[in-house]
């Protein structure tokens, strides 16, 4: 009976790529916080099983960003993938476990009345951006022989559906939704 109660180990994912102390939400989804978080170790080993990166589609100029919201620093969505490529290229383990997880939270453009924008073209553009981020992460993982899983997540079901609908035929690293 006890065998039926086995649970998989918990994963520790660095939320908003901002896990270095002192806690400062203003640094969520910034390149500096990502670098500092990836550098955290305990006894010479990484403390995380993965990291969460947010993408935000800015409808005003059709730009995909690495940002927690539109009120904070806004960096092109592909910029953190370069940091991740450097991290995957380092010697030794990159995560606490054998598999490293990159969770990409897809943020929706929100209108003035605080509702999600469901414009099909914007959803498709954000989905394209998500797959570009995936491809850059996948290329770095494969080039460095790293076991990496990409997890796409979104509060807007239409946005997640657009990403799923745009799934490419070839997936060099595992994807979860």
């Amino acid at each position: 009976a006890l065998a039926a109660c086995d649970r998989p180990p918990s994963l520790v994912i660095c939320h908003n790529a901002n896990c270095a102390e002192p806690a400062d939400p203003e640094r969520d989804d910034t390149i500096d916080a990502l670098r500092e978080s990836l550098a955290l170790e305990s006894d010479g080993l990484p403390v995380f099983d993965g990291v969460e990166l947010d993408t935000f589609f800015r409808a005003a100029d059709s730009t995909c960003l690495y940002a927690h919201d539109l009120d904070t620093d806004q960096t092109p969505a592909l910029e953190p993938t370069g940091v991740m490529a450097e991290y995957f290229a380092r010697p030794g383990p990159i995560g606490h476990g054998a598999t490293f997880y990159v969770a990409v939270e897809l943020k929706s453009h929100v209108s003035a009345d605080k509702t999600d924008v469901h414009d099909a073209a914007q959803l498709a553009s954000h989905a394209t951006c998500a797959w570009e981020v995936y491809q850059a992460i996948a290329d770095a993982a494969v080039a460095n022989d790293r076991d990496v899983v990409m997890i796409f997540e979104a509060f807007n079901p239409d946005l997640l559906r657009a990403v799923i609908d745009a799934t490419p035929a070839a997936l060099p690293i595992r994807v979860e939704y």
Side-chain angles (χ1 to χ4, degrees):
L2 290 178
C5 295
D6 285 347
R7 292 179 8 192
S10 299
L11 297 175
V12 179
I13 306 293
C14 177
H15 186 246
N16 294 329
N18 183 17
C19 296
E21 293 292 332
D24 181 358
E26 294 294 317
R27 299 184 71 223
D28 284 357
D29 293 303
T30 61
I31 295 297
D32 288 343
L34 173 61
R35 285 185 191 283
E36 289 173 27
S37 296
L38 292 173
L40 294 173
E41 294 184 343
S42 176
D43 297 325
L45 296 173
V47 296
F48 303 113
D49 299 293
V51 64
E52 177 196 58
L53 310 172
D54 293 344
T55 61
F56 211 116
F57 186 75
R58 187 173 57 206
D61 60 358
S62 298
T63 302
C64 193
L65 303 166
Y66 169 56
H68 185 66
D69 56 45
L70 293 179
D71 295 329
T72 58
D73 286 344
Q74 298 166 16
T75 303
L78 288 175
E79 192 164 327
T81 66
V83 174
M84 297 307 302
E86 292 169 8
Y87 186 68
F88 295 164
R90 76 182 216 153
I94 58 170
H96 187 70
T99 301
F100 190 83
Y101 296 84
V102 178
V104 176
E105 183 176 344
L106 306 154
K107 303 278 190 139
S108 295
H109 171 72
V110 179
S111 64
D113 66 356
K114 304 293 184 198
T115 58
D116 285 345
V117 174
H118 296 277
D119 177 275
Q122 292 174 0
L123 294 173
S125 293
H126 199 160
T128 297
C129 169
W131 286 111
E132 289 171 352
V133 169
Y134 167 87
Q135 192 61 57
I137 296 287
D139 289 347
V142 169
N144 292 286
D145 196 28
R146 300 298 191 165
D147 182 14
V148 176
V149 173
M150 177 80 74
I151 302 168
F152 288 118
E153 54 192 22
F155 288 104
N156 178 340
D158 293 332
L159 179 52
L160 194 54
R161 195 170 302 108
V163 170
I164 292 168
D165 289 347
T167 302
L171 297 173
I173 64 171
R174 194 171 89 214
V175 174
E176 297 179 2
Y177 303 95

